[in-house]
Amino acid sequence: MSKHESRDTMSKSKRLLELMLTVNRKRKFTVKELALEFGVSSRTILRDLQELGELGVPLYSEVGPHGGYQVLNERILPPIAFTEEEAVALFFACHALRHYSYIPFETEASSALGKFYHYMSGDVRDRIDQMKNRVDFVVPARQAESPYLSVLLEAAVMQQTVRIGYKSQDTLSERNIQPIGIYASSGLWYCPAYCFLRGGVRLFRCDRIESVKEGDPVTKPLDLRSIHLDNWEDSFSDKSPNTRCRVQLSEEGVRVCEAELGRRGLLRVREDGTGWIDGDIPNSEIPYFARLFIGLGSDAEVTEPPELIECMRSKLKELLAKYDGQDQPSSPRT
Amino acid sequence: MSKHESRDTMSKSKRLLELMLTVNRKRKFTVKELALEFGVSSRTILRDLQELGELGVPLYSEVGPHGGYQVLNERILPPIAFTEEEAVALFFACHALRHYSYIPFETEASSALGKFYHYMSGDVRDRIDQMKNRVDFVVPARQAESPYLSVLLEAAVMQQTVRIGYKSQDTLSERNIQPIGIYASSGLWYCPAYCFLRGGVRLFRCDRIESVKEGDPVTKPLDLRSIHLDNWEDSFSDKSPNTRCRVQLSEEGVRVCEAELGRRGLLRVREDGTGWIDGDIPNSEIPYFARLFIGLGSDAEVTEPPELIECMRSKLKELLAKYDGQDQPSSPRT
DNA sequence: TATAATAGTGACAAGTATTGTCATAAAATA
DNA sequence: TATTTTATGACAATACTTGTCACTATTATA
């Protein structure tokens, strides 16, 4: 049963196009195979393949048993109809990626970008040239080193465990984890993962991962296929002791908190743009929140918990002591 | 002089491919025109065009003088060879755009994304499916409204002036500006522009632009073609009174400051990851910097200017008063 | 080493598709 | 109405495509 309409009465041009799609679907194939599928002789397929090669499809062949044709490395995308707006959007999406010094794809997107650009028709290209340095998506310039992104992503996709060396507050520890995924936020890469050391889901900062080895063969991977970036937080932070936290926020406060803890689902926003935080936070994060709300100044008003307020108070005192009654630093750095 | 090699001895298949490119370059054309260009008869071109139509190129024709063929709306990109890695990178670049609720392109990138996805061969698609919710580029979730992005961008590209209503610190003012470009940073859109009211380059936050009208016909556009996103800061902040600012930063402090003021060129980084700030800041921004460095706590150590330290001190005292000796808010909000 | 599987080339005849020409129609425009 | 343009049909000449056959070369494997 042929998937293609009337493959027996197909014109050469159409056959070539279909052939292009077919050889890209199956990367490896023999002449006879295609001849049967298309209902033409092997000789014809051979001629067609040669023509495809001249047209730019990178074909490679090997003779002998288990030999055959292969599409080298690259795939040909069939002709795609893009509107001008779409092409432009696509271009700038890729363009934005150039800000990331570390991305989990081995090939740089810039080569794809170049091809795209090269094949676009004249006036779209002109438009892009004009817009090129008039619109941008900025991410923080210098980013912490994260050389293991592709390994972590691969492990997440393949449901495998890896053994990482992780530096948290000057403590270097080694543990088996099974990554759930990776994401970039404010210039840093994060990796939520099941941690076999702690027996639960934890969030790791990729720049603090100092080494990645193959997973311990003893620790069997779990089935975490149903846990991914959109829902991993449900399985997170249920273990450590929590405290209820409530904070009133001004419009500006809402904006900052969205940037900082958008993914945690603690934040509620009123219609007028102001909002509040109400939810449980792990005790271990109290210092982090204290710093956040101090930075917000009058745009945040913490009402709970007392521990957080106390922590803020002590930090404030410390800072005040540092800057009070002096215009020179108390302990200059080297 | 034909751009194409041996157009007179071209096989039909090749001619069709070239034709596809040609009709997409010139969006409007007549049959006779193409016949001459390709060195074949009009009848042949007519037949070819019909075939192109059947192959999916959206052609439209009108008879009569000034009639002719048109490619409707969409462009066909010629077949492009992408490596698997490239295709994946391209996909995720577009995927990342979905976080932006406001982008300056009228068409959503998602439609381009859909087409891309649709035409990709099976196993690349599988790979993308598996990676889809395992890797992400996060930008702050809810973003301030910025409905005028495309107008501003258009004005920047076209070197035109626009008249905006701008809200800065509760003051609503109207002024003519000539946009230099737009960029997104930490969830907000910014628009550097020449401000005819202030007579210099200023930075505007797009969510504070309340209205955009056509530029005043009296204010003639300047030639700002040589000024764009990569260099506009050179023409910026030379007018307002500045003060030298010096701050020592820990590793963490460097990271935050890079995110906040990466584009200003004030920041220097040492090899060990720590760094310092040394440069002129406008006096008007002292409150902003005060808040920033208070938020950084012990990760920042301000040494200059005294005004900034004084500002921080007063803010600290205010905050301390707010949170001192109370566990309930002093003035609960409604 | 022999065998089978595979690509690759060349020649040729039969068949098929492509092309140009001519005729004609229809629509739009000036 | 004359002109420009798309659009369609018929037909013959030509060019291309295809299958078959014969043959070579390479490689893995029995």
Side-chain angles (χ1 to χ4, degrees), chain A residues 289-310:
Chain A
F289 280 100
R291 167 182 288 195
L292 174 63
F293 297 132
I294 288 176
L296 281 174
S298 53
D299 287 314
E301 183 152 352
V302 181
T303 54
E304 265 182 72
E307 296 92 316
L308 178 53
I309 295 179
E310 180 48 44

Side-chain angles (χ1 to χ4, degrees), chain B residues 230-283:
Chain B
D230 289 335
N231 66 9
W232 68 273
E233 283 162 317
D234 302 342
S235 350
F236 181 53
S237 81
D238 289 335
K239 294 287 168 58
S240 66
N242 289 346
T243 323
R244 187 175 182 211
C245 170
R246 293 206 303 157
V247 184
Q248 296 294 327
L249 296 169
S250 75
E251 206 169 339
E252 184 65 16
V254 165
R255 198 183 70 68
V256 175
C257 287
E258 268 171 345
E260 286 288 323
L261 23 110
R263 300 186 71 98
R264 301 205 187 190
L266 302 169
L267 189 64
R268 292 293 133 77
V269 184
R270 296 195 191 86
E271 271 203 355
D272 63 355
T274 67
W276 73 98
I277 286 173
D278 193 344
D280 288 346
I281 61 169
N283 288 351

Side-chain angles (χ1 to χ4, degrees), chain A residues 30-31 43 46 61 63-65 68-69:
Chain A
T30 68
V31 173
R43 188 68 184 84
L46 268 170
S61 63
V63 298
Y69 267 88

Side-chain angles (χ1 to χ4, degrees), chain A residues 99-143:
Chain A
H99 291 298
Y100 288 88
S101 19
Y102 294 87
I103 52 173
F105 318 113
E106 277 152 31
T107 310
E108 282 162 301
S110 61
S111 60
L113 205 55
K115 287 178 187 176
F116 221 145
Y117 181 77
H118 176 256
Y119 282 106
M120 269 188 283
S121 54
D123 53 340
V124 180
R125 199 188 298 186
D126 288 347
R127 187 167 165 73
I128 283 178
D129 278 334
Q130 286 179 305
M131 288 173 58
K132 211 179 219 163
N133 39 32
R134 305 242 170 247
V135 59
D136 206 351
F137 300 84
V138 174
V139 297
R142 172 180 160 276
Q143 289 153 55

Side-chain angles (χ1 to χ4, degrees), chain B residues 109-178:
Chain B
S110 61
S111 60
L113 204 56
K115 287 179 185 175
F116 221 146
Y117 181 77
H118 176 254
Y119 282 106
M120 267 185 290
S121 54
D123 54 340
V124 180
R125 199 188 297 187
D126 289 346
R127 187 166 165 75
I128 283 179
D129 278 334
Q130 285 180 306
M131 287 173 58
K132 210 179 218 165
N133 39 32
R134 306 242 169 247
V135 60
D136 205 352
F137 300 85
V138 174
V139 297
R142 172 179 161 276
Q143 289 152 55
E145 288 196 9
S146 306
Y148 302 113
L149 296 179
S150 43
V151 191
L152 295 170
L153 177 56
E154 193 65 18
V157 170
M158 294 297 163
Q159 298 278 309
Q160 289 165 350
T161 66
V162 289
R163 188 164 181 79
I164 62 166
Y166 192 69
K167 188 180 72 178
S168 60
Q169 278 125 19
D170 303 328
T171 329
L172 188 68
S173 61
E174 214 171 58
R175 60 184 86 191
N176 292 307
I177 64 167
Q178 182 174 337

